[in-house]
Amino acid sequence: MIRSAVTISLVNEARGGPFVYWDDLAGSMRKAAALGYHAVEIFAPAPDAVSPALLKPLLEETKLSVAAVGTGAGWVKHKLSLTSPDESIRRRAIEFIQSMIDFGGPYGAPAIIGSMQGRHGDGVTPEQTRDWLRAALDQLGEDARRYNIPLIYEPLNRYETNLTNTMAAGVDLLQSLQTDNVRLLADLFHMNIEESDIAAGILAGGRFIGHVHFVDSNRRPVGNGHMQYGPIISALHDIGYTGYVSAEAFPWPNSDAAAEQTMRAYQYWLRADG
Ligand code: LER
Ligand code: MN
């Protein structure tokens, strides 16, 4: 069964970004549960920003799961990157993500590496940059294993990284690692820019895909753009995908309407799934 999730951002510096709910963790979780979501994806400013004393009772009350935790605050708040030319920044980037793995791990929620992957340039070759990225993914993939969860790595569109833009390139990267505990995030927004055929991209990602960002072509909630979902959903079924489709979309026209619209789309496309 493919399960539904919706994003909640608690990161002030990410304002304007593609997150459905903002600021109010408890209120957003209660709304998500009332709409029928299975889980929330939490974008937190720091690993200790959401205490277990707050989150655990909320999870019990709402019966929600935590689908994943974002690590992008390491970049937007602290300018940390796994591929910075500066060794101390790379080290702090790994430590930040380790602390996010320790935050999500007890809830069974994998950490997502998106913007923290950085980019090559600044006098550093693509080969050196990829070596740093591989070493970081090997380390963090094994750190995640302690919680019996994978690490999630997200190919991004060309305006956000020059390292990995497609599912096929993501598979190549994962196959070059020592660890087998990293999975790909198929973000339909990035794929709409980079893949020549989104469904084919999902088939190329195959068993490596561990999370999906469920969004329309213009990053509005599903149904507000020109994405053709039929072939995409078929491809997810073809690869036997059983993870989350998580609404990482603009709160357009507002958070509540975005969450409702994504749930309607989820029910239309995936409820028959089981
Ligand atoms: C960034 O564009 C994105 O898609 C996020 O999921 C990762 O930071
Ligand atoms: Mn994404």
Side-chain angles (χ1 to χ4, degrees):
M1 175 184 180
I2 297 177
R3 299 200 295 162
S4 59
V6 60
T7 49
I8 304 174
S9 173
L10 308 174
V11 181
N12 209 28
E13 290 82 353
R15 192 101 21 214
F19 303 101
V20 171
Y21 288 121
W22 286 82
D23 306 325
D24 175 8
L25 183 70
S28 304
M29 286 178 67
R30 291 188 177 114
K31 286 179 177 181
L35 287 174
Y37 281 96
H38 296 111
V40 288
E41 179 177 322
I42 301 175
F43 193 65
D48 55 359
V50 177
S51 75
L54 172 71
L55 186 51
K56 274 192 187 155
L58 276 170
L59 291 170
E60 272 168 34
E61 174 198 323
T62 58
K63 310 278 183 260
L64 291 165
S65 301
V66 185
V69 297
T71 65
W75 169 246
V76 297
K77 271 183 87 80
H78 308 293
K79 296 295 173 237
L80 301 176
S81 159
L82 293 173
T83 56
S84 167
D86 182 332
E87 197 274 333
S88 74
I89 293 181
R90 294 199 303 277
R91 186 171 36 76
R92 284 166 52 217
I94 288 185
E95 287 166 2
F96 184 86
I97 295 168
Q98 284 171 328
S99 67
M100 284 299 195
I101 291 171
D102 290 334
F103 163 49
Y107 308 105
I112 296 171
I113 296 181
S115 52
M116 288 286 281
Q117 69 191 275
R119 50 176 61 235
H120 64 75
D122 262 350
V124 184
T125 62
E127 292 72 26
Q128 173 66 80
T129 311
R130 288 210 172 80
D131 282 349
W132 285 331
L133 179 62
R134 268 195 288 270
L137 293 176
D138 275 329
Q139 164 82 55
L140 295 165
E142 290 308 301
D143 290 332
R145 196 190 294 283
R146 288 188 286 114
Y147 296 100
N148 216 9
I149 49 175
L151 177 76
I152 306 285
Y153 173 75
E154 181 171 22
L156 302 174
N157 74 68
R158 66 192 68 184
Y159 306 107
E160 297 186 37
T161 189
N162 51 17
L163 293 176
T164 311
N165 301 127
T166 62
M167 287 300 119
V171 169
D172 285 348
L173 177 67
L174 265 48
Q175 284 184 319
S176 76
L177 299 178
Q178 312 260 315
T179 180
D180 62 358
N181 199 38
V182 184
R183 299 281 178 280
L184 295 175
L185 199 171
D187 181 323
L188 301 182
F189 168 74
H190 298 302
M191 293 181 77
N192 179 59
I193 296 171
E194 295 297 343
E195 306 282 349
S196 38
D197 176 323
I198 300 176
I202 289 187
L203 296 177
R207 66 185 173 83
F208 290 95
I209 296 181
H211 197 69
V212 171
H213 279 158
F214 191 49
V215 60
D216 219 314
S217 51
N218 48 11
R219 232 172 194 184
R220 288 179 179 176
V222 173
N224 292 300
H226 58 71
M227 192 89 71
Q228 299 297 315
Y229 288 95
I232 294 172
I233 303 301
S234 295
L236 287 173
H237 288 314
D238 286 350
I239 64 168
Y241 182 69
T242 56
Y244 288 99
V245 289
S246 184
E248 187 189 67
F250 292 129
W252 187 91
N254 56 59
S255 294
D256 290 339
E260 284 164 25
Q261 168 61 27
T262 303
M263 181 44 71
R264 264 195 302 277
Y266 171 80
Q267 286 174 345
Y268 180 81
W269 289 111
L270 289 158
R271 188 170 51 185
D273 187 33

